[in-house]
Amino acid sequence: MYEVIKNKRKLVKAYQLGSDNAVIKELMLNGKICDLGDGRYEIHSQEAVNGTVGGEKAMVGDWIKLDSTGSPYPNDKEYFEANHRHIEGDTFEQFPKPLSAWDAKLEMCPEVMFLVEKKELVIDKTSSDRRYTAQLWGTTEAAAEDAMIVFYSISYDDAGNVIDCDWNFVERGEFDRTYSVIR
């Protein structure tokens, strides 16, 4: 696997779901965020739009960030608040930390095998635009053959076997704009 890091001093705009915010309202008017009621939302990120009609699920209190194309994507409240520092207004600094990432140029590894076996990652070698599909954030997401799989955390048992992980697809252009490969 690659070791990657978000580009240093990555400033992001972020908006908390459930807040009275003009950007959230605009995204809702444009159909990028749908209020499902009962404190639940559907977020139409790049990967969700490529996956199915539905969007990624998020809750009141979770945060929405905008990728470099202006598409929203959710961050769990706890993850966001542990990995970002408020600068001012809607601007936050994302703390850079090394992460693991994988793409199809690499050999199959235990972490991706775990995703296939336990997290229902489907790798369709006959499709270039929907090479990868999986249930993420409560919806089916898809990614092209050049996408990266980024691991935000990986848990191992005492024998070194993967027992859980937090991960997502990252579209290649977005990856190239926002991450640097360390090794």
Side-chain angles (χ1 to χ4, degrees):
M1 278 203 294
Y2 300 111
E3 186 174 358
V4 301
I5 194 164
K6 285 266 192 172
N7 294 334
K8 295 181 180 180
R9 184 112 170 108
K10 173 73 174 164
L11 297 180
V12 298
K13 297 288 188 181
Y15 313 94
Q16 194 166 32
L17 288 170
S19 65
D20 184 27
N21 182 283
V23 172
I24 296 261
K25 289 177 185 177
E26 179 75 19
L27 290 167
M28 291 176 89
L29 282 173
N30 292 331
K32 299 282 190 174
I33 297 176
C34 297
D35 187 344
L36 301 176
D38 299 330
R40 298 176 304 122
Y41 295 86
E42 205 170 65
I43 313 304
H44 297 277
S45 67
Q46 281 190 74
E47 293 79 12
V49 169
N50 290 330
T52 65
V53 177
E56 298 180 55
K57 304 303 184 270
M59 303 293 295
V60 165
D62 287 347
W63 290 83
I64 299 302
K65 295 192 301 190
L66 302 179
D67 69 17
S68 62
T69 68
S71 295
Y73 61 97
N75 273 201
D76 174 86
K77 178 183 185 339
E78 290 76 26
Y79 173 84
F80 181 86
E81 292 175 0
N83 290 285
H84 296 79
R85 178 174 65 95
H86 185 244
I87 302 296
E88 67 177 333
D90 297 329
T91 303
F92 294 80
E93 178 182 14
Q94 184 167 332
F95 303 135
K97 67 178 184 177
L99 301 171
S100 296
W102 181 89
D103 70 6
K105 295 176 189 167
L106 298 172
E107 300 237 354
M108 182 60 68
C109 62
E111 293 80 4
V112 174
M113 232 15 225
F114 174 82
L115 297 180
V116 170
E117 294 172 357
K118 304 291 185 188
K119 299 288 186 171
E120 300 178 12
L121 170 65
V122 175
I123 301 174
D124 180 356
K125 293 183 179 180
T126 66
S127 176
S128 61
D129 62 333
R130 294 177 56 89
R131 175 67 48 100
Y132 308 105
T133 56
Q135 285 289 314
L136 291 165
W137 286 88
T139 192
T140 302
E141 291 194 14
E145 66 185 340
D146 64 348
M148 295 293 288
I149 293 176
V150 176
F151 293 88
Y152 303 111
S153 67
I154 306 170
S155 301
Y156 299 91
D157 64 17
D158 292 338
N161 300 309
V162 178
I163 57 174
D164 200 11
C165 61
D166 184 21
W167 64 286
N168 205 349
F169 302 127
V170 178
E171 183 270 332
R172 175 57 74 167
E174 184 67 21
F175 180 86
D176 290 344
R177 285 185 291 273
T178 59
Y179 287 89
S180 295
V181 175
I182 299 170
R183 64 176 174 90

